[in-house]
Amino acid sequence: MADNKQELKIELTPEVAHGHYSNLAVIAHSANEFFADFIAVAPNMPQAKVLSRIIMTPENAKNLLFALRDNIAKYEQTYGEIQRKTPKGGAKGGNDIPNPFMA
């Protein structure tokens, strides 16, 4: 069987390469897509804007999950375990930045 893999050339423009800092991600889904909104929340600010929205298929969302899991494991092997921080006052703490990943 022939190998049909082709090289994919990816262009990264200077504007996109600059990136956006995000300290909050809100993730939702429909039957056909996953939506990830990336937000930068500042302390004592009552409002924050979505900086970027990524929409992907369920299959690609699962591929992203596995890629993140693999990269986090490699990071922790090199730099040590990443410690998760609990917001002051618990999960419902006042003006703290919400953590959508906490149950």
Side-chain angles (χ1 to χ4, degrees):
M1 207 188 287
D3 186 6
N4 291 335
K5 289 187 179 183
Q6 295 182 358
E7 183 178 319
L8 177 63
K9 294 184 180 185
I10 298 173
E11 178 183 355
L12 182 62
T13 64
E15 297 81 19
V16 174
H18 181 266
H20 293 285
Y21 174 79
S22 173
N23 55 6
L24 175 66
V26 177
I27 301 171
H29 67 277
S30 68
N32 298 311
E33 292 101 10
F34 275 74
F35 300 82
D37 291 337
F38 295 93
I39 303 160
V41 178
N44 300 316
M45 296 297 289
Q47 192 171 3
K49 289 185 181 181
V50 173
L51 300 172
S52 182
R53 171 174 276 185
I54 305 299
I55 304 168
M56 60 182 67
T57 65
E59 179 184 11
N60 285 337
K62 194 166 189 176
N63 289 338
L64 175 61
L65 169 69
F66 291 136
L68 282 170
R69 187 179 291 156
D70 182 54
N71 275 270
I72 289 170
K74 290 175 183 174
Y75 176 95
E76 290 182 331
Q77 285 176 351
T78 302
Y79 302 105
E81 184 178 352
I82 299 167
Q83 299 297 319
R84 294 184 62 190
K85 296 177 182 146
T86 302
K88 295 177 186 173
K92 296 181 181 180
N95 289 330
D96 296 318
I97 297 170
N99 185 344
F101 304 110
M102 293 184 71

